[in-house]
Amino acid sequence: MKFLFFSKPYFLFWLALFFFSCDSTSKVKTAQDAFPHILLIYLDDLGYGDVSAYRSGTLQTPNMDVLANGGVRFTNGYASSATCTPSRYALLTGTYPWRNQNAKILPGTAPLIIDTAQMTLPKMLSAQGYQTAIIGKWHLGLGTGFVDWNQEISPNPNYVGFDYSHILAATQDRVPTVYIENGRVVNLDPNDPILVDYENNFEGEPTGLDNPELLTMRWHHGHNHSIVNGIPRIGFMKGGKSARWSDVDMADHFLAKGKAFIQENASSDKPFFLFFPMQQPHVPRTPHPRFEGKSGMGPRGDAILEADWVIGELLKTLEESGILENTLIIFSSDNGPVLNDGYYDDAVEKLGDHTPAGPLRGGKYSLFEAGTKVPFITYWKGKIQPGVSDAMVTQIDLLSSLAALVGSQEKGPDSENLLNALLGKSTKGRESFILEATSRTALRAGDWAMIPPYKGPAVQNQVNIELGNAADYQLYNLKADPGQQNNLAASNPEKLEEMKKIYQEIRGGESKVEQLKLK
Ligand code: NG6
Ligand code: CA
């Protein structure tokens, strides 16, 4: 018996087993052969037609095009909302923003709207061994109601899954105009504390309304409270002089932080997830002077060129760090484009032939396509075959899709696993999707879009964007009519009924967020 194990056939078996086990266990799992790094580049108000690879408009965005032409360029990629906060909420939680009534454009003093018990994209990745960071715009609230900006601000992004955070709290046009790192205002002088209020000004502090002589950028609507760097903002702020950001250096500032994070983590055993939400081309548009005049379209075009350059620098950093081929890059925007969003900055006057929304109708704030259909690109050098995909993919789906990529069972309540579509291996995307614009919702399903009746103006005059409001149902076949010119609600009542049914099934269902909280 004893010798039987060592007889020739058995011996070969054991030998094979030995080598097999050596091969599979001796390998240290490094980022190189395990999960990829993930870089999520997220622009603010960049339109479907603002990226030249999307083949409309006249602006040239060579670095965004590197991603678009070297990866999968989605023609049906959606943000979840036509404004910022709800889109970001959906992206990070995999939850429709209309399930959370606080997911609307927030003031800089709003409390954190993500429940710290809720599953999030960075939490999911963190549990799978990722080092996670957010560098850029937050706009999801901070603290629990009253924030003392001079102490540690808590909860902050580090409480919803980020190991490191270096953010601007809300928007570039809202106070406080300071950077916040891991919950602390950067460069704050304790002898010059920061006070922030969205209702009342602080005595003696100049405002855009009262002190036009102090302004270097004029406000058109809103944006007439505290003045920082000559730019009137939304909200009042006093103190914190040493901590105030320089607007024209913001792109360089966040890029330096992003580069440092990539370089520090490139050779680690841990893969990283870097969420890099950029401020461009949201107002106030303040490109660094070296980009001034470069687009011929005024500050909006220049800010997009600046953002494009930043993306090129990030790509270079990945390449120089030797990890470009091990990094999945996802590129998108939080909502559609707007020209005049509250400042006189020549965005309308110098637009020329450029078409920020491409062939789509509407823009930021709109239920029409341009509100939520945005540039959406996945790029992974050597892994993703370049191509164009018409699959419907949305930012809500990143949580479940990336979970599938890294072997996690987590799922966002409304998030679908579209990993194969995102990697360009399948043309199958979502069947249906409810999009949101300033608390109104509409349905996308198949080739169709259905907008229920809404009261309110058809056009928001100040920004000059069609909002999608109408007294009757609207039904569009996007394949035949991407610009939503022919309302087929009356001529195709069957399709309308089918769409209404799908809409009610999703929209009217029990709140999955409540179920989630009970877990
Ligand atoms: C609006 C601002 C707009 C922009 C937007 C938020 C006014 C009149 N308009 O209220 O300028 O800041 O909020 O944009 O104040 S978002 O992209 O962050 O959603
Ligand atoms: Ca935005």
Side-chain angles (χ1 to χ4, degrees):
M1 253 328 250
K2 203 174 156 193
F3 291 106
L4 198 60
F5 278 96
F6 295 97
S7 68
K8 203 173 167 193
Y10 282 99
F11 178 73
L12 287 176
F13 169 74
W14 287 118
L15 196 70
L17 194 68
F18 173 74
F19 278 113
F20 177 75
S21 60
C22 273
D23 189 47
S24 61
T25 56
S26 65
K27 233 175 174 184
V28 179
K29 237 186 168 194
T30 66
Q32 300 303 318
D33 55 9
F35 306 140
H37 303 296
I38 301 171
L39 170 60
L40 174 50
I41 302 173
Y42 202 54
L43 275 90
D44 195 356
D45 300 0
L46 188 79
Y48 188 84
D50 278 323
V51 177
S52 42
Y54 273 82
R55 303 204 172 97
S56 57
T58 52
L59 198 62
Q60 290 304 312
T61 52
N63 292 301
M64 296 178 196
D65 290 3
V66 165
L67 300 178
N69 297 331
V72 183
R73 176 168 70 84
F74 289 92
T75 62
N76 278 299
Y78 287 85
S80 307
S81 167
T83 62
C84 160
T85 300
S87 279
R88 286 159 208 258
Y89 176 80
L91 181 148
L92 290 181
T93 65
T95 308
Y96 276 128
W98 43 266
R99 296 196 195 279
N100 181 343
Q101 59 178 10
N102 297 321
K104 51 184 192 238
I105 299 173
L106 297 176
T109 45
L112 177 65
I113 62 162
I114 299 175
D115 190 324
T116 53
Q118 215 169 328
M119 181 42 63
T120 65
L121 179 56
K123 265 191 199 173
M124 178 279 290
L125 291 169
S126 188
Q128 297 305 104
Y130 275 73
Q131 189 69 24
T132 60
I134 172 173
I135 296 172
K137 174 176 173 176
W138 179 238
H139 211 190
L140 287 160
L142 293 166
T144 54
F146 173 79
V147 171
D148 180 349
W149 302 92
N150 306 288
Q151 306 292 325
E152 187 181 333
I153 303 157
S154 150
N156 57 53
N158 300 42
Y159 287 69
V160 296
F162 291 105
D163 297 314
Y164 172 75
S165 61
H166 190 101
I167 57 166
L168 66 88
T171 57
Q172 202 187 329
D173 53 352
R174 283 173 173 77
V175 298
T177 52
V178 295
Y179 298 121
I180 300 166
E181 185 167 86
N182 298 326
R184 291 218 174 248
V185 172
V186 178
N187 286 337
L188 183 63
D189 175 357
N191 298 317
D192 180 28
I194 299 183
L195 297 172
V196 179
D197 195 321
Y198 270 70
E199 299 291 317
N200 303 302
N201 192 16
F202 300 98
E203 219 186 310
E205 292 294 306
T207 66
L209 190 62
D210 297 332
N211 304 87
E213 74 283 1
L214 299 178
L215 302 181
T216 53
M217 194 185 280
R218 284 191 306 138
W219 57 276
H220 176 272
H221 56 277
H223 306 94
N224 56 20
H225 297 159
S226 288
I227 304 167
V228 181
N229 305 332
I231 303 169
R233 317 273 168 162
I234 306 172
F236 303 100
M237 173 178 169
K238 184 187 162 123
K241 292 257 160 36
S242 59
R244 295 180 181 197
W245 66 49
S246 158
D247 290 274
V248 293
D249 293 312
M250 186 173 280
D252 289 339
H253 177 85
F254 282 131
L255 173 61
K257 298 285 166 198
K259 271 175 142 176
F261 177 83
I262 292 170
Q263 284 157 351
E264 277 159 29
N265 288 279
S267 53
S268 159
D269 278 350
K270 274 184 147 193
F272 67 73
F273 168 55
L274 173 57
F275 181 30
F276 195 77
M278 302 172 69
Q279 80 280 11
Q280 301 101 331
H282 193 282
V283 296
R285 294 152 183 148
T286 55
H288 189 274
R290 65 185 190 276
F291 294 96
E292 256 172 45
K294 287 277 184 276
S295 68
M297 285 174 207
R300 183 175 186 277
D302 297 346
I304 295 174
L305 295 191
E306 179 189 61
D308 187 72
W309 172 81
V310 167
I311 290 164
E313 291 299 299
L314 289 175
L315 285 173
K316 236 187 261 169
T317 308
L318 291 171
E319 190 145 42
E320 283 164 10
S321 306
I323 56 170
L324 183 60
E325 291 177 13
N326 193 41
T327 305
L328 168 61
I329 303 175
I330 302 167
F331 172 93
S332 200
S333 172
D334 68 339
N335 53 252
V338 57
L339 295 176
N340 178 345
D341 206 13
Y343 296 96
Y344 288 96
D345 64 3
D346 282 344
V348 176
E349 294 77 359
K350 293 195 173 160
L351 186 64
D353 294 333
H354 183 55
T355 48
L360 311 177
R361 188 170 178 181
K364 182 176 180 177
Y365 310 110
S366 178
L367 285 171
F368 286 126
E369 283 276 275
T372 46
K373 185 180 276 186
V374 286
F376 197 126
I377 299 161
T378 53
Y379 175 96
W380 187 353
K381 197 175 177 198
K383 288 273 172 34
I384 288 182
Q385 289 297 314
V388 180
S389 174
D390 298 332
M392 176 155 60
V393 296
T394 82
Q395 293 164 9
I396 285 193
D397 303 316
L398 291 179
L399 177 42
S400 295
S401 305
L402 294 179
L405 177 71
V406 302
S408 163
Q409 301 300 312
E410 292 296 349
K411 283 183 172 41
D414 301 303
S415 183
E416 292 187 18
N417 172 4
L418 302 179
L419 183 62
N420 285 334
L422 292 176
L423 297 180
K425 293 179 180 163
S426 162
T427 52
K428 198 173 150 18
R430 263 181 180 260
E431 302 280 325
S432 60
F433 173 61
I434 293 207
L435 55 96
E436 190 259 6
T438 57
S439 303
R440 299 156 298 143
T441 50
L443 176 70
R444 267 287 280 112
D447 290 335
W448 297 81
M450 187 273 287
I451 306 178
Y454 286 104
K455 292 202 182 91
V459 176
Q460 190 171 323
N461 283 329
Q462 288 167 318
V463 297
N464 194 23
I465 286 174
E466 289 186 292
L467 297 175
N469 297 331
D472 296 316
Y473 275 94
Q474 296 175 74
L475 179 70
Y476 300 99
N477 182 326
L478 300 179
K479 200 154 203 178
D481 176 25
Q484 297 177 297
Q485 296 301 312
N486 306 311
N487 181 3
L488 303 177
S491 62
N492 197 340
E494 279 157 33
K495 192 71 193 178
L496 181 62
E497 280 316 304
E498 191 191 316
M499 294 290 279
K500 278 188 191 173
K501 206 163 153 253
I502 302 172
Y503 178 74
Q504 269 141 22
E505 266 166 24
I506 309 173
R507 190 73 172 86
E510 187 193 346
S511 165
K512 292 182 186 171
V513 177
E514 289 310 315
Q515 291 172 11
L516 194 80
K517 278 186 188 160
L518 295 176
K519 264 194 198 166

